[in-house]
Amino acid sequence: MRRFWALARSAALEALAEPLSAILFLVALLAVHLLPAFHLHQFGEPGRLSRECGFSALLVFGLVFATSAAVHSVGRELESGTAATALARPVPRSLFFCAKVAGVLAAFALFLFAVAGATLLSIVTSEMGRIVTQGDVVAWGPGIAAGAGGTLAAFALAALGNAFLRTRFCVGACLLTALAQPVALAGVLFLSHSPVPWNLLPALAVLALGCAAFVAMAGAFAVCLKPAAVSAVLTVAVLLAFISPLRAVMPDINRFWLVDAFAGGGAPAPADLCAAAGAGALLVAFWLAAGSFLLARREIP
Amino acid sequence: MSEPVIEIAGLRKTFRDFWLRPVAEAVRGVDLTVERGDVFGLLGPNGSGKSTTIKMVLGLLAPSGGKIRLFGLPPRARAARARLGYLPELSYLHPFLTARETLRYYAGLSSLGRRDAKARTEELLARVGLSSVADRAVGGFSKGMARRVALAAALVSNPELLILDEPTSGLDPIGTRDVKELIRALAKDGVTVLMTSHLLADTEDVCTKIAILSQGRVAACGRTTDLLTRTQDARFTVEGLAETEARALADELARRYGKPVSFDHPSVPLEKFFAETVRAARG
């Protein structure tokens, strides 16, 4: 367990220490927070734009963040030699692979936490806007200020930590922005007492499981292919995932995309949530097993 | 006699391309035995198969033929790898981790308990002279400092066998001397060392046994002193003997034995002279 923890922790740190991670956190969160400002384009339902864009941010930015981290964590380590120094120790190769992917998924869970907080806050802010826009006065100002301001303040705090305490800027920025989202949400709820659509969270978690299957797949391909080749394969895999010709092994994005069920005040059926979560977990397990199998047979020069 | 630490018999390795066509035959039938307590030097020119042999011993590469036993076990057996430490040719370190975190990471990979890991980390940081920079990210370290961290990482699990690939690469003369002293001290404590080096003087200084590889085969193998000593010749060192006296003595020996006699004045090794000069300059 100690070996698993050591490997997973370093993989999570490595994923968050990349400058790309901090950029993706910042862009995704600011995009979600600024959506309520588009109050003239609500798609017929206040909060819908925020809800759907929150899911999209998780899918697009989350996939880029987590799959690139998985390729880096597994592929680049095998190329650079850090994997050799770990595997020369009493570390089974399957444990090495699973721990690396688990570490990346832990970093991705932080991204999910941040995006979930931002999405809820954005929806609450849109609802606040609906209450007041009838008199041509919009009330999304405090919500946007709390969300976007909190995110930017977290980055500023991370920069101060780096300057004065020598903490890692990118890691600090990712952690603090994630923490800033529930704080901002709590602050806005304290002012407005608006209802929070908590029932979005299981659907977001299911979408994250679908992304996790891609992360495990990226790790498995990174065992035997160069990073550039993995990127090409993943692009094809994502495109295939939308038309789902290989449902057994390829994550079918339509199955994990349950946000449409929320239209008009609805919600996805618990059975659909459970089925999608089960399929996601099975796909993650499949690609973890495939990656472990490939790594066990791979020569490490 | 105890069981050999490393036993290699008829080891071969052929690298193949994507279509499984042979590309290079790196190792062509190597036989070696490393006994407990040996400081064994694996020498050879570039491409002679040293690193490939070491990677097969570590279980990172699969042999194409032959047999390797590590503590009597196959190289990929966890029980065997739990007893060794490895320093690669380049100090592969995670640049975002500090020196202290790096050692804790490797302690974790060796399943050391939290308290043991902490104590061992601090002990090794002091031993390699990096305590004062322990909280700096290793990505900003010089090559020599990174080498010290990698060496400490190799020692973190208190290994019985230490495999060192070019251990002094990137180190300045003082660092090189420190590493050689460390290897000697470890050997005195009963640690078996298998090392490769391009620096023949370093190998000669610390290795009790050497094997010279050439084109994937063992060209020479044995105790360092046995391989290097010319027992048919003799050399005397007489302290405080002037040039004229030495020449007269040489002439006398030549006359008595009827063989040519030469003499020279001993010199100190450059490494020793350098260390003494730097120490004197630092006061």
Side-chain angles (χ1 to χ4, degrees):
Chain A
M1 203 58 206
R2 273 184 219 289
R3 297 185 187 112
F4 185 90
W5 172 242
L7 286 164
R9 183 181 172 274
S10 84
L13 261 180
E14 191 175 21
L16 296 175
E18 283 293 314
L20 176 67
S21 309
I23 293 168
L24 288 172
F25 267 70
L26 182 68
V27 172
L29 296 176
L30 285 183
V32 174
H33 283 308
L34 294 174
L35 282 171
F38 297 96
H39 63 286
L40 295 177
H41 304 283
Q42 299 284 353
F43 294 103
E45 186 189 335
R48 182 168 184 172
L49 181 63
S50 297
R51 188 173 65 227
E52 301 211 344
C53 287
F55 275 70
S56 303
L58 179 67
L59 180 65
V60 177
F61 293 107
L63 261 188
V64 172
F65 162 61
T67 52
S68 66
V71 172
H72 192 92
S73 188
V74 178
R76 295 255 159 78
E77 281 219 18
L78 286 167
E79 296 265 309
S80 72
T82 45
T85 55
L87 292 171
R89 287 164 197 275
V91 177
R93 294 191 178 193
S94 55
L95 181 121
F96 177 85
F97 179 76
C98 293
K100 284 281 171 193
V101 175
V104 173
L105 289 179
F108 179 61
L110 187 75
F111 186 78
L112 165 68
F113 180 77
V115 168
T119 306
L120 293 179
L121 176 55
S122 183
I123 293 169
V124 168
T125 306
S126 298
E127 292 285 345
M128 287 162 64
R130 177 176 65 159
I131 295 163
V132 192
T133 42
Q134 284 135 2
D136 281 330
V137 181
V138 287
W140 36 256
I144 291 179
T151 302
L152 293 173
F155 264 73
L157 209 57
L160 287 174
N162 177 255
F164 295 106
L165 303 171
R166 288 175 177 265
T167 54
R168 300 176 184 94
F169 170 71
C170 292
V171 177
C174 294
L175 283 171
L176 290 172
T177 45
L179 285 176
Q181 307 312 310
V183 172
L185 177 63
V188 170
L189 289 179
F190 182 74
L191 291 175
S192 76
H193 305 289
S194 301
V196 182
W198 297 112
N199 62 346
L200 281 188
L201 296 182
L204 270 168
V206 163
L207 181 60
L209 256 177
C211 295
F214 276 107
V215 174
M217 185 201 285
F221 281 125
V223 168
C224 47
L225 297 175
K226 302 253 182 221
V230 179
S231 304
V233 169
L234 278 177
T235 307
V236 173
V238 170
L239 291 174
L240 284 178
F242 278 105
I243 49 175
S244 61
L246 302 164
R247 268 189 194 184
V249 291
M250 212 65 94
D252 172 12
I253 293 206
N254 298 310
R255 172 178 269 187
F256 301 104
W257 185 261
L258 298 172
V259 68
D260 297 336
F262 291 99
D272 289 346
L273 280 169
C274 291
L282 271 178
L283 282 167
V284 171
F286 171 81
W287 285 107
L288 283 179
S292 302
F293 176 83
L294 290 169
L295 186 58
R297 273 143 195 83
R298 189 196 145 129
E299 297 214 315
I300 298 163
Chain B
M1 194 166 167
S2 64
E3 188 180 48
V5 174
I6 301 173
E7 213 176 349
I8 298 174
L11 189 66
R12 288 187 294 106
K13 178 67 188 174
T14 305
F15 287 106
R16 294 174 186 277
D17 66 8
F18 182 79
W19 306 108
L20 301 179
R21 292 174 300 203
V23 174
E25 204 175 352
V27 179
R28 308 172 187 200
V30 165
D31 299 295
L32 284 177
T33 303
V34 179
E35 304 286 351
R36 196 169 293 275
D38 280 350
V39 179
F40 198 104
L42 211 50
L43 307 176
N46 290 339
S48 58
K50 305 184 297 287
S51 291
T52 304
T53 303
I54 279 188
K55 281 177 179 160
M56 285 192 280
V57 170
L58 291 165
L60 298 173
L61 293 177
S64 306
K67 192 184 80 170
I68 304 175
R69 306 300 281 181
L70 200 58
F71 299 104
L73 298 164
R76 280 180 76 167
R78 247 192 293 169
R81 280 185 291 147
R83 296 163 72 179
L84 68 84
Y86 169 52
L87 174 73
E89 187 175 356
L90 298 171
S91 309
Y92 305 117
L93 300 168
H94 293 286
F96 56 91
L97 292 179
T98 66
R100 182 172 278 123
E101 285 171 338
T102 301
L103 296 192
R104 292 271 182 88
Y105 167 71
Y106 285 108
L109 293 188
S110 305
S111 278
L112 255 63
R114 188 174 292 219
R115 197 174 294 171
D116 289 344
K118 194 175 173 191
R120 187 78 180 134
T121 296
E122 298 310 319
E123 179 197 333
L124 285 169
L125 283 170
R127 194 165 186 178
V128 297
L130 293 175
S131 295
S132 59
V133 289
D135 291 317
R136 266 176 53 189
V138 296
F141 278 11
S142 69
K143 202 174 169 190
M145 287 162 83
R147 201 73 188 141
R148 286 164 188 261
V149 177
L151 183 59
L155 293 170
V156 83
S157 60
N158 242 331
E160 291 172 54
L161 167 66
L162 195 57
I163 298 181
L164 308 172
D165 204 352
E166 303 284 349
T168 54
S169 140
L171 294 175
D172 62 20
I174 306 278
T176 300
R177 196 198 54 182
D178 291 348
V179 167
K180 289 196 287 190
E181 277 173 10
L182 182 66
I183 293 171
R184 283 193 204 102
L186 289 166
K188 203 176 273 180
D189 292 343
V191 176
T192 308
V193 179
L194 171 65
M195 62 178 272
T196 70
S197 182
H198 284 111
L199 302 172
L200 302 182
D202 290 352
T203 313
E204 187 183 346
D205 282 351
V206 293
C207 290
T208 54
K209 285 184 186 167
I210 56 171
I212 298 174
L213 295 187
S214 177
Q215 294 181 320
R217 294 191 183 89
V218 177
C221 182
R223 300 196 72 78
T224 313
T225 46
D226 294 347
L227 292 173
L228 302 183
T229 306
R230 301 275 175 265
T231 49
Q232 70 274 26
D233 298 334
R235 189 160 84 179
F236 302 92
T237 301
V238 183
E239 285 185 30
L241 200 65
E243 173 85 21
T244 48
E245 291 171 306
R247 191 164 300 284
L249 187 58
D251 291 345
E252 176 59 23
L253 287 171
R255 191 182 56 76
R256 182 175 295 187
Y257 296 105
K259 292 176 179 170
V261 175
S262 65
F263 73 92
D264 55 17
H265 297 288
S267 57
V268 290
L270 178 59
E271 183 186 303
K272 189 180 174 191
F273 178 74
F274 179 88
E276 284 171 357
T277 307
V278 170
R279 199 179 301 129
R282 283 176 182 167

